[in-house]
Amino acid sequence: MLAFRLVAEPERLDTLVLPIRPDDRTDDGDAPAALLATLGWEPAEEVGAEARALLSVARLHGRAGEARMHLRPLGSPGRLLLIGTGDGDEAAWRTAGAALARAASAEEHVTVVMPADAVDSAVSGLVEGLLLASYRFRLTEAGDSPALAGVDVVVADPAAHSRSLDVARITAESTRFARDLTNTPSSTKNPQWFAEQVAAEVADRPGLTVRVREPEELAAEGFGGLLAVGGGSASGPRLVELSWQPPQATTHVVLVGKGITFDTGGISIKPVPAMKLMRKDMAGGAAVAAATLGAAALDLPVRITTLIPLAENMLSGAAFRPGDVVRHYGGLTSETTNSDAEGRLVLADALAYAVAELSPDLLVDLATLTGANSVALGNRTAALYSENDELAGALLTAVSEAGESAWRMPLPADYVEYLGSDLADLYSAPTQGGGSVTAALFLREFTGDLRDRWVHVDMSAPSWAAAAEAELTKGATGWGVRGLLRWLGTLD
């Protein structure tokens, strides 16, 4: 993990990083058009002159994420790295930090000189980008890992930016934890293992408590959806209940995250290509767990109860069948003809329990729920559903500001009839209508009097990246952690 220091003057000049920005004075879009930022600490005159000369020779434009290394074998610093910061907002600095992580991956230490007018969001964006883009997950010693271990950030007043640095570091570390959980192969990651990881994180953190329900308790209390989905596996289901209760909190939020640690599709088995990445089917659970741990580390003044229904959807003589009727927590029943639509069954139990027993002010669930999410919105954007305009708007704003992407989707009344069943209260997996929409409508039936204070986020597509891009690395993205922490920080 990278170590950061805020300093007023550089103490090491092995690799010096200077920010550049677009030159707005030129009208020629094809001409090199970058300027060296006005710095809070000025390097030696010859270093500044070389940097400015390099802008033209290298045809740099100052776009966010642009990077150029210049070697100075007989000079100090020995390496000069120019990093584009675009328009200088938080997103641009996050992109710049990610580019720096890759451009300087072979260096052990770099010193970044910030502009004289750098604000908190510039510092936090830089730190988040560096920490997220330098993330690696491997179960072998083979392969290259970044050598970069230390970053000094030169600012005019280090103390003024210390909180921003802490927030960015905790946010990125929480996101990295969610990535770790999601990337872990399912040969290791069964429901018990996941619950143990959360419990281990809680052990030394004041203000946090965790309860883990095992199969016998789930049966005694009526969590029928969770038991049905987990019944086909030798690794029994669990329900993790994680709580953060600061004494000053006036708002209680319940977060629910889907935790299917592997999904074969059950008896409605998936084709092999669709099954290969199903270790990621608990990314919603990972996101809400990591966000809660992050909220505690930030000491956010909001009460959070996080529910993670964990199950492995497997084939066996004990697996639930297409056509089975499931009795959920609280008594509602659902008929399913597709055992590969299992996520909504475990979420329904958790939502019903939250409404009946926890009395939250707000209810939010995250789930890698449907392939229809990517059909509708592509690979980077989650689908957000809510009947509450203010709540939906606040979450969308937080997600965007945090560098993630979501789009609000409708809950059309004419789709509700598709949920009708001849055998049960609800039909869990209609074949009519948009799959992500009908899944959301099914979950809404379990929100009771919290229906107008509930948000569902289908984040199947953005939970995984096929290739590295900006602050994302190939594999699990930790989607949702940053947006949730940004949103939770606005509550009191």
Side-chain angles (χ1 to χ4, degrees):
M1 186 73 72
L2 287 175
F4 289 89
R5 293 194 313 159
L6 294 170
V7 297
E9 293 187 0
E11 297 177 13
R12 293 181 59 173
L13 284 177
D14 35 12
T15 301
L16 186 66
V17 182
L18 301 179
I20 61 175
R21 60 178 179 81
D23 184 356
D24 297 330
R25 297 171 302 179
T26 178
D27 294 326
D28 185 353
D30 295 325
L35 289 173
L36 192 64
T38 302
L39 304 174
W41 172 87
E42 288 294 336
E45 184 176 346
E46 67 271 16
V47 175
E50 282 186 38
R52 284 184 284 273
L54 185 61
L55 295 177
S56 177
V57 172
R59 296 184 174 87
L60 299 177
H61 292 79
R63 291 185 286 263
E66 191 174 37
R68 179 59 61 103
M69 180 77 82
H70 175 53
L71 301 180
R72 309 177 71 246
L74 301 179
S76 177
R79 288 167 295 280
L80 185 62
L81 179 55
L82 303 183
I83 290 288
T85 61
D87 61 9
D89 64 4
E90 183 178 3
W93 274 101
R94 191 180 295 114
T95 301
L100 174 56
R102 295 187 174 94
S105 62
E107 313 302 325
E108 292 184 2
H109 181 276
V110 299
T111 298
V112 184
V113 182
M114 298 297 285
D117 59 354
V119 295
D120 284 345
S121 61
V123 173
S124 60
L126 173 73
V127 172
E128 277 190 25
L130 274 161
L131 282 170
L132 293 175
S134 61
Y135 171 85
R136 297 291 185 276
F137 183 88
R138 291 184 66 83
L139 298 179
T140 175
E141 296 299 323
D144 295 331
S145 295
L148 188 60
V151 179
D152 285 356
V153 182
V154 181
V155 290
D157 184 358
H161 297 290
S162 60
R163 175 62 178 174
S164 295
L165 173 60
D166 288 342
V167 171
R169 178 181 52 79
I170 290 168
T171 299
E173 289 175 357
S174 300
T175 304
R176 288 168 66 110
F177 177 61
R179 289 180 180 181
D180 282 347
L181 290 175
T182 307
N183 279 323
T184 298
S186 296
S187 53
T188 297
K189 181 177 57 187
N190 60 27
Q192 179 181 344
W193 179 91
F194 189 112
E196 288 172 350
Q197 303 312 299
V198 176
E201 289 292 321
V202 167
D204 298 322
R205 303 199 191 198
L208 283 167
T209 59
V210 65
R211 175 185 178 184
V212 179
R213 289 176 173 84
E214 300 195 359
E216 296 77 11
E217 295 172 278
L218 296 172
E221 296 183 38
F223 288 90
L226 190 48
L227 290 164
V229 174
S233 174
S235 301
R238 300 289 191 275
L239 177 64
V240 171
E241 184 171 342
L242 173 64
S243 298
W244 162 244
Q245 298 190 49
Q248 69 274 35
T250 58
T251 301
H252 181 198
V253 178
V254 169
L255 303 177
V256 180
K258 176 185 170 184
I260 302 299
T261 57
F262 192 75
D263 182 18
T264 66
I267 290 176
S268 307
I269 193 166
K270 295 177 182 288
V272 171
M275 205 186 299
K276 282 181 62 179
L277 289 180
M278 281 300 101
R279 68 181 184 272
K280 81 178 183 71
D281 212 18
M282 37 54 67
V288 296
T292 306
L293 295 170
L298 291 169
D299 198 24
L300 297 184
V302 55
R303 179 185 172 191
I304 305 169
T305 305
T306 294
L307 302 173
I308 309 169
L310 296 160
E312 192 174 55
N313 189 21
M314 300 289 283
L315 287 83
S316 75
F320 78 115
R321 295 160 291 264
D324 281 1
V325 173
V326 174
R327 185 172 297 276
H328 295 276
Y329 187 94
L332 273 179
T333 58
S334 68
E335 175 192 0
T336 181
T337 60
N338 181 0
S339 65
D340 193 23
E342 84 298 329
R344 66 199 71 185
L345 303 183
V346 304
L347 288 171
D349 276 4
L351 292 171
Y353 169 74
V355 173
E357 305 297 336
L358 300 179
S359 302
D361 299 300
L362 301 169
L363 179 60
V364 178
D365 75 80
L366 269 66
T368 53
L369 206 57
T370 71
N373 167 209
S374 63
V375 174
L377 298 173
N379 294 326
R380 288 287 181 266
T381 303
L384 184 146
Y385 298 86
S386 180
E387 295 183 352
N388 187 315
D389 293 343
E390 182 179 355
L391 178 57
L395 261 168
L396 287 168
T397 297
V399 164
S400 176
E401 290 179 349
E404 297 175 328
S405 177
W407 189 263
R408 190 177 180 186
M409 298 284 281
L411 290 162
D414 56 336
Y415 277 21
V416 175
E417 65 183 79
Y418 301 151
L419 299 176
S421 166
D422 294 334
L423 296 177
D425 295 304
L426 298 166
Y427 185 50
S428 66
T431 56
Q432 311 101 309
S436 181
V437 178
T438 54
L441 288 168
F442 174 80
L443 293 177
R444 189 180 67 177
E445 296 298 314
F446 294 87
T447 60
D449 60 6
L450 281 166
R451 172 171 162 164
D452 63 346
R453 289 172 284 157
W454 160 73
V455 174
H456 161 62
V457 184
D458 186 344
M459 35 75 78
S460 180
S463 68
W464 196 264
E469 180 182 348
E471 72 270 21
L472 301 182
T473 57
K474 185 178 181 180
T477 64
W479 193 99
V481 178
R482 290 185 279 160
L484 283 176
L485 282 174
R486 186 71 63 110
W487 174 65
L488 290 166
T490 66
L491 306 176
D492 54 26

